[in-house]
Amino acid sequence: MLIDTHCHLNDEAFKDNLKEVVARANSKGITKMIVIGYNKKSSFDAVRIANMFDGVYAAIGVHPSDVLKEDDNLDWIYELAKDKKVIAIGEIGLDYYWDKSYNDLQIEWFIKQIEIAKELDLPICVHSRDASQDCFDVIKKYGNSKGVIHCYSGSLEMAKEYVKLGYYLGIGGVVTFKNSHLGETIKNIGIDHLVSETDAPYLAPVPYRGKTNEPAYIYEIVQKISEELNIDIDKVEKKIEENTYKLFKI
Ligand code: NI
């Protein structure tokens, strides 16, 4: 069984072909997918989509790049989380890549949503870009020891620190890129702390690089993990399935 723990089926890119995309994933053995929200609207869309299909779940929350645009009343998260398909809070985190002018506000929203996740006893899906140390510091101080660092591409040292906190690393298409050092990182970290994800429609793995990514491409990612770790792909799939269950209870 293959699992995509992070995809945006709620993105515009899938507006007209959602059913085909899910059917294509199912036909390639992908039986579980988590649709990730990044603001209020996309979180509601994620839950609506999750309720359309078996094996599709939702994470809800506000992405750091969206905090300026959103109303700061987050009561909707508590309401929406009552839906049984909601299994995580995310994606939340820090992104200093595009604009550094509101880092403090991002940190504030990150902490606020971690606190909600703790109250609701849900894991968090973390987005961290150009904010490695701050992100780690916030999680270490406020985190609830359940979560995934989505699309991990940071250093091996930082990866080890996250693992010590009980966090998982979300491994996506980047692992298939020629210039990526992620292979070395996962060799050192080992299969026990990894989950698989596409981040569709972004970051398609080789040989689809540059195209619209979709959950059906998770196979290329898991195959690459298996090659890097030199572990049989069936065993990798099984272990990732166990890790996903431990983290998300799905
Ligand atoms: Ni994402």
Side-chain angles (χ1 to χ4, degrees), residues 6-8 36-38 63 91 126-127 150-151 197-203:
H6 190 117
C7 59
H8 300 285
I36 311 281
Y38 42 90
H63 184 287
E91 56 188 288
V126 178
H127 171 100
H150 129 74
C151 195
E197 62 166 71
T198 59
D199 203 18
Y202 312 107
L203 286 170

Side-chain angles (χ1 to χ4, degrees), residues 210-233:
K211 294 193 179 147
T212 301
N213 197 3
E214 60 175 75
Y217 300 161
I218 200 79
Y219 180 79
E220 278 67 24
I221 293 163
V222 174
Q223 190 185 35
K224 185 68 181 177
I225 295 174
S226 138
E227 272 172 40
E228 293 286 358
L229 297 178
N230 199 17
I231 304 175
D232 212 59
I233 189 157

